[in-house]
Amino acid sequence: MSEARRNRLAELPAVEQVRDGTWVVPVPIPDNPLHYVLSYVLEADGGLVLVDVGWNDPGSFEALGAGLGEIGASVADVRGMVVTHIHPDHYGLAGRVREVSGAWIALHGLDASQITGRYSKIERLIEDNVLWLTGAGAPAEDVEVLCDAGAELQRYVMVAHPDRVLSDGDRIELGGGRALDVVHTPGHTVGHVCLYDAPARLLFSGDHVLPRISPNVGFHPLSSADPLADFLASLRKVGALGSELALPGHEWRFDDVPARTRELAEHHEARLAEVLVLLARGACTSWEVAQRLIWSRPFDSLAPVTRRAALSEAMAHLVHLRTRGEVRCEPGPPDLWLVGRTGS
Ligand SMILES: [Zn+2]
Ligand SMILES: [Zn+2]
């Protein structure tokens, strides 16, 4: 990444008008390498509808209010919030905004069904994480550290159940003839959605398609059985919409969505090939595969939450190769991955 781009990412960008009736308000997410979430503000009947809101931190709430002030509005004017997915940086602040404004919250049913297990009654999730990490071959001391990794992010979430549960193909009417089509794009989470304003050809892409980084696609206790298959299918779905401009949840706006979806798919194909090369040298646990893959920094030096994401990402590739019939798994714990089909 160029120095200019890195600086651009670290600085909070300005509030901007994207199109008529559409603005972007960057909301800081402190201590996070992505620095900010982009909240999109849409003019709607009787007020505003937001796409994603940031996480529940006083500074983020203040920045959202100040950003809305720059466009001549306030948090009290928010009528609704469409949350692309359940991660704290997109969803965490929605409950707080609802308290102040009475706005509705919309979230896909599959993510909505995880709210309690992810953010309020987490004992079961912790047990599932221990089994998952042990099966993956994580050393005992890492099981403990990684099991709790990310627990601190819970403080950035105000638990709020949606007023409106979304499904693929739903239409969110904004008034004045404008509407957002809900496009279910599982992969990054099970209930991730993109929103498409078809006449304007604007795609609100959340974390599904980002201009620079490859969104995390991980196999873990809250994922589907083959999240990478879901993600690749979602890339094809979004690539075929005919959008002109993507408005992502992080980084910056970009055009040529089909090219970016192809790049992301190619990145995963290359990763799948890398995993096959590793396994061709001998059977490995998921942990060993994660350790041997190339990451932005060596696996063992990654912060716990990032190391867990890297492990889950490696596993998403392993389970997808199993779906394709290229590898098999001998159940453990730890589970052992080998090249070839079951029984071959
Ligand atoms: Zn996310
Ligand atoms: Zn995000």
Side-chain angles (χ1 to χ4, degrees):
M1 188 177 23
S2 74
E3 194 62 23
R5 267 261 145 108
R6 193 169 297 130
N7 290 340
R8 186 174 155 193
L9 192 61
E11 268 171 37
L12 194 66
V15 173
E16 280 181 278
Q17 181 157 22
V18 180
R19 294 275 176 91
D20 269 0
T22 306
W23 296 264
V24 56
V25 173
V27 178
I29 44 172
D31 304 325
N32 186 290
L34 291 170
H35 302 290
Y36 54 84
V37 161
L38 299 172
S39 177
Y40 295 97
V41 180
L42 310 175
E43 217 161 36
D45 264 352
L48 304 170
V49 167
L50 308 186
V51 176
D52 288 337
V53 274
W55 65 24
N56 187 29
D57 173 80
S60 306
F61 184 66
E62 217 170 277
L64 178 67
L68 292 173
E70 281 190 44
I71 60 175
S74 74
V75 172
D77 296 315
V78 180
R79 291 288 165 271
M81 289 164 277
V82 189
V83 179
T84 58
H85 65 294
I86 196 178
H87 285 160
D89 49 332
H90 301 255
Y91 157 79
L93 193 56
R96 179 94 193 271
V97 172
R98 181 168 67 182
E99 271 186 357
V100 174
S101 64
W104 48 261
I105 298 171
L107 182 68
H108 190 277
L110 290 174
D111 273 12
S113 69
Q114 293 186 348
I115 291 173
T116 304
R118 211 183 245 269
Y119 297 129
S120 46
K121 292 193 179 121
I122 61 162
E123 300 77 11
R124 169 78 190 277
L125 180 59
I126 291 173
E127 281 171 25
D128 289 348
N129 275 338
V130 170
L131 291 176
W132 166 61
L133 289 161
T134 309
E141 60 275 19
D142 290 278
V143 171
E144 201 174 325
V145 173
L146 297 196
C147 193
D148 293 339
E152 79 279 5
L153 286 180
Q154 276 188 302
R155 70 188 161 101
Y156 292 122
V157 172
M158 177 180 281
V159 173
H161 292 277
D163 306 279
R164 184 165 175 187
V165 174
L166 300 175
S167 303
D168 187 54
D170 283 357
R171 175 160 277 206
I172 298 164
E173 299 289 346
L174 300 174
R178 193 176 181 198
L180 296 176
D181 293 325
V182 175
V183 185
H184 183 211
T185 49
H188 178 66
T189 67
V190 288
H192 191 289
V193 295
C194 293
L195 289 317
Y196 191 46
D197 177 345
R201 300 173 71 190
L202 286 181
L203 176 74
F204 298 89
S205 63
D207 279 358
H208 176 53
V209 189
L210 296 168
R212 179 181 62 94
I213 61 164
S214 166
N216 174 250
V217 178
F219 176 84
H220 52 74
L222 296 171
S223 74
S224 72
D226 187 349
L228 185 54
D230 296 342
F231 183 71
L232 294 172
S234 298
L235 285 178
R236 289 191 291 273
K237 191 173 178 181
V238 156
L241 286 172
S243 55
E244 198 168 77
L245 185 67
L247 309 177
H250 302 279
E251 303 188 316
W252 44 82
R253 299 190 286 282
F254 60 98
D255 53 18
D256 208 345
V257 177
R260 183 62 186 143
T261 59
R262 281 194 299 274
E263 249 173 44
L264 287 168
E266 281 160 16
H267 160 78
H268 287 290
E269 290 300 334
R271 223 34 174 163
L272 290 164
E274 264 180 78
V275 172
L276 274 180
V277 168
L278 284 179
L279 293 186
R281 291 186 202 134
C284 289
T285 64
S286 303
W287 185 263
E288 288 164 341
V289 171
Q291 274 182 320
R292 290 168 197 178
L293 284 170
I294 309 288
W295 305 98
S296 57
R297 279 189 282 276
F299 179 76
D300 292 312
S301 72
L302 295 171
V305 69
T306 316
R307 198 152 23 116
R308 195 175 69 177
L311 173 68
S312 74
E313 182 109 10
M315 290 179 81
H317 289 83
L318 287 163
V319 298
H320 188 58
L321 285 169
R322 181 174 56 189
T323 304
R324 289 188 180 183
E326 298 194 61
V327 307
R328 66 182 201 273
C329 180
E330 276 179 12
D335 303 333
L336 216 51
W337 295 93
L338 305 91
V339 176
R341 287 170 192 276
T342 310
S344 62

